[in-house]
Amino acid sequence: MTTTAEKASAPTWRRRQRIAAYLFVAPFFVFFVLMLLVPLFYAGYLSFFREQLIGGNAFVGLDNYVRALQDERFLRGVLRVTLFLLVQVPVMLGLALLFALVLDSGRLRFASLVRLGIFLPYAIPGVIAALMWGYLYGQDFGPFAQAGRALGLPVPEFLSSGWMLASIGNIVTWSFVGYNMIIMYAALRAIPAEIYEAARMDGAGEFRLAWSIKIPSIRPSLLLTLIFSVIGSFQLFTEPQLLKSISPVVVTGEYTPNLYAFTLAFSRSELNYAAAVSFLLGILIMIVSYVVQLSTQRRERQR
């Protein structure tokens, strides 16, 4: 009898477990739908309209997207962040990998303190970091400029049109090297020590270990940091937005695509066109991220 009763209550117990599981994840899905999907679909809906002086909003189909693809200001911003991506991301990830390998080698004194010091800039809010570097870059009040004048040297023009992109790249690199280093360092610590011992018995030195064992073993983490960096480069906003107040002639409202969408929406009241620009930028990020991931996977399969 007891066995029969247990068998009868088993489906009821499993059903209660499923209901409990759905109840646990329900709050996340509610916020996911309300905070992400609904605004996303509403922005997509807005991108198919245009506000007119007479007649209010009018359905224009893909006209906003066609206009964005012919907009020189938007295209210049895309080219600028593409250049930023090609130069800044390799430098940042190269430094992060170098620091992670040095820390993992076990030959560095005060490794914990050094690791904390490299990671610390990531804990500083992006707004504070941009303001701090904006002060350091200042030609009238910055310490570099004051030191140059005191030594009779030319004052560095970090906020000029020729240097602005490099100056922003320096801020982003300073802020995110530690974040990427922690991801790579955690992956390095997960490599079994037996592999190192076998390699050392075969006569491999530290450089050989790093090149032939450590870097290939953490390739998934390198790909992860690369994709995060690609997305972050195209979403560049905080640093140019804050430096715009210090150097408004160089950093204009269309300096990056994200800043251009912000300017369109909140300064020029072109919400519909800003939505189309944002969607095009999102599509571009997805394409570039997919291409990076696909090319990396193909290269791994060929090995």
Side-chain angles (χ1 to χ4, degrees):
M1 290 295 290
T2 305
T3 305
T4 306
E6 288 177 352
K7 288 182 178 178
S9 63
T12 305
W13 174 246
R14 282 197 293 271
R15 188 168 59 251
R16 286 178 179 175
Q17 282 187 318
R18 283 198 294 270
I19 293 173
Y22 285 128
L23 288 176
F24 274 117
V25 299
F28 166 75
F29 279 106
V30 169
F31 278 100
F32 180 76
V33 170
L34 291 179
M35 301 298 174
L36 182 66
L37 293 185
V38 171
L40 198 62
F41 282 110
Y42 183 62
Y45 169 79
L46 287 178
S47 68
F48 295 111
F49 289 83
R50 179 181 300 156
E51 188 171 357
Q52 300 175 339
L53 290 176
I54 301 175
N57 280 340
F59 181 77
V60 294
L62 297 175
D63 283 4
N64 285 328
Y65 292 91
V66 175
R67 177 187 168 192
L69 291 173
Q70 298 172 345
D71 189 340
E72 290 185 0
R73 288 172 291 190
F74 174 64
L75 296 178
R76 274 201 302 270
V78 171
L79 288 176
R80 189 173 288 118
V81 293
T82 303
L83 176 62
F84 182 86
L85 165 69
L86 294 175
V87 176
Q88 186 269 337
V89 170
V91 172
M92 178 179 66
L93 296 185
L95 287 173
L97 178 61
L98 177 64
F99 292 143
L101 289 172
V102 171
L103 288 170
D104 186 65
S105 68
R107 301 192 175 194
L108 188 68
R109 299 185 66 182
F110 309 110
S112 299
L113 189 62
V114 173
R115 187 170 66 238
L116 177 64
I118 297 172
F119 181 74
L120 193 59
Y122 178 69
I124 297 174
V127 174
I128 303 299
L131 290 174
M132 182 189 74
W133 279 101
Y135 165 73
L136 296 174
Y137 289 153
Q139 286 184 254
D140 298 325
F141 46 81
F144 294 116
Q146 293 181 21
R149 290 193 193 94
L151 297 173
L153 299 173
V155 176
E157 298 180 347
F158 294 117
L159 299 177
S160 64
S161 58
W163 280 91
M164 181 56 75
L165 200 60
S167 300
I168 294 174
N170 177 56
I171 300 173
V172 176
T173 302
W174 179 81
S175 299
F176 286 94
V177 159
Y179 169 78
N180 291 298
M181 181 205 69
I182 288 296
I183 294 175
M184 298 175 191
Y185 180 70
L188 287 170
R189 301 303 293 173
I191 299 174
E194 293 80 8
I195 299 178
Y196 296 151
E197 292 173 4
R200 288 194 177 97
M201 289 179 68
D202 290 338
E206 288 299 326
F207 178 80
R208 187 68 176 173
L209 279 176
W211 184 256
S212 300
I213 295 178
K214 293 184 178 182
I215 294 176
S217 299
I218 64 168
R219 196 172 291 125
S221 299
L222 294 175
L223 177 62
L224 178 72
T225 54
L226 177 60
I227 291 177
F228 281 173
S229 301
V230 169
I231 295 172
S233 297
F234 280 104
Q235 292 181 343
L236 195 61
F237 176 79
T238 303
E239 291 80 8
Q241 169 69 2
L242 291 170
L243 292 181
K244 187 159 70 77
S245 58
I246 302 175
S247 184
V249 177
V250 177
V251 183
T252 57
E254 58 266 14
Y255 195 77
T256 66
N258 236 359
L259 188 58
Y260 186 42
F262 177 83
T263 304
L264 287 170
F266 299 105
S267 297
R268 303 180 191 175
S269 300
E270 295 187 69
L271 285 174
N272 306 102
Y273 185 45
V277 167
S278 302
F279 263 82
L280 275 180
L281 181 61
I283 293 169
L284 179 63
I285 291 173
M286 284 191 292
I287 292 173
V288 174
S289 301
Y290 180 73
V291 168
V292 169
Q293 186 175 3
L294 190 65
S295 61
T296 306
Q297 289 175 344
R298 281 185 177 176
R299 202 173 298 125
E300 286 182 0
R301 280 197 292 268
Q302 290 171 355
R303 291 183 176 180

Short mmCIF file of all heavy atoms in Angstrom, two decimals, residues 17 34 63 70 74 86 97 244 247 277:
data_model
loop_
_atom_site.label_atom_id
_atom_site.label_comp_id
_atom_site.label_asym_id
_atom_site.label_seq_id
_atom_site.Cartn_x
_atom_site.Cartn_y
_atom_site.Cartn_z
N GLN A 17 7.56 20.53 -8.10
CA GLN A 17 8.94 20.97 -8.33
C GLN A 17 9.04 21.85 -9.57
O GLN A 17 9.74 22.86 -9.57
CB GLN A 17 9.85 19.75 -8.48
CG GLN A 17 10.21 19.08 -7.15
CD GLN A 17 11.24 18.00 -7.34
OE1 GLN A 17 11.15 17.22 -8.29
NE2 GLN A 17 12.21 17.93 -6.45
N LEU A 34 10.19 43.24 -19.49
CA LEU A 34 9.81 44.65 -19.30
C LEU A 34 10.97 45.60 -19.57
O LEU A 34 10.78 46.69 -20.14
CB LEU A 34 9.29 44.87 -17.88
CG LEU A 34 7.95 44.23 -17.56
CD1 LEU A 34 7.57 44.50 -16.10
CD2 LEU A 34 6.86 44.76 -18.48
N ASP A 63 13.11 54.05 -44.60
CA ASP A 63 13.75 55.31 -45.00
C ASP A 63 14.79 55.78 -44.00
O ASP A 63 15.85 56.31 -44.38
CB ASP A 63 12.68 56.40 -45.19
CG ASP A 63 11.96 56.23 -46.50
OD1 ASP A 63 12.25 55.24 -47.21
OD2 ASP A 63 11.10 57.07 -46.83
N GLN A 70 23.56 56.48 -45.55
CA GLN A 70 24.10 57.54 -46.40
C GLN A 70 24.57 58.75 -45.58
O GLN A 70 24.99 59.74 -46.17
CB GLN A 70 23.04 57.98 -47.42
CG GLN A 70 22.62 56.85 -48.36
CD GLN A 70 21.44 57.25 -49.24
OE1 GLN A 70 20.76 58.24 -48.96
NE2 GLN A 70 21.19 56.48 -50.28
N PHE A 74 27.39 59.61 -39.38
CA PHE A 74 27.30 58.27 -38.80
C PHE A 74 28.43 57.37 -39.32
O PHE A 74 29.08 56.66 -38.54
CB PHE A 74 25.94 57.66 -39.12
CG PHE A 74 25.80 56.22 -38.70
CD1 PHE A 74 25.85 55.87 -37.37
CD2 PHE A 74 25.60 55.22 -39.65
CE1 PHE A 74 25.72 54.54 -36.97
CE2 PHE A 74 25.48 53.90 -39.27
CZ PHE A 74 25.53 53.56 -37.93
N LEU A 86 40.84 48.47 -33.96
CA LEU A 86 42.01 47.80 -34.55
C LEU A 86 43.31 48.14 -33.83
O LEU A 86 44.26 47.36 -33.88
CB LEU A 86 42.12 48.18 -36.03
CG LEU A 86 40.99 47.68 -36.93
CD1 LEU A 86 41.16 48.22 -38.35
CD2 LEU A 86 40.94 46.16 -36.94
N LEU A 97 47.34 40.08 -21.25
CA LEU A 97 47.93 38.73 -21.34
C LEU A 97 49.33 38.71 -20.74
O LEU A 97 49.71 37.76 -20.03
CB LEU A 97 47.96 38.29 -22.81
CG LEU A 97 48.58 36.92 -23.09
CD1 LEU A 97 47.80 35.82 -22.38
CD2 LEU A 97 48.62 36.65 -24.59
N LYS A 244 34.06 65.84 -24.28
CA LYS A 244 33.42 66.83 -25.17
C LYS A 244 33.28 68.18 -24.48
O LYS A 244 33.40 69.23 -25.12
CB LYS A 244 32.04 66.32 -25.59
CG LYS A 244 31.34 67.17 -26.64
CD LYS A 244 30.27 66.35 -27.34
CE LYS A 244 29.10 66.05 -26.44
NZ LYS A 244 28.21 67.21 -26.27
N SER A 247 36.91 69.66 -24.60
CA SER A 247 37.38 69.97 -25.95
C SER A 247 36.21 69.86 -26.94
O SER A 247 36.14 68.92 -27.73
CB SER A 247 38.51 69.00 -26.33
OG SER A 247 39.04 69.34 -27.57
N VAL A 277 19.48 54.50 -36.14
CA VAL A 277 20.94 54.48 -36.00
C VAL A 277 21.36 53.46 -34.94
O VAL A 277 22.32 52.70 -35.14
CB VAL A 277 21.45 55.90 -35.63
CG1 VAL A 277 22.90 55.85 -35.17
CG2 VAL A 277 21.31 56.84 -36.82
#
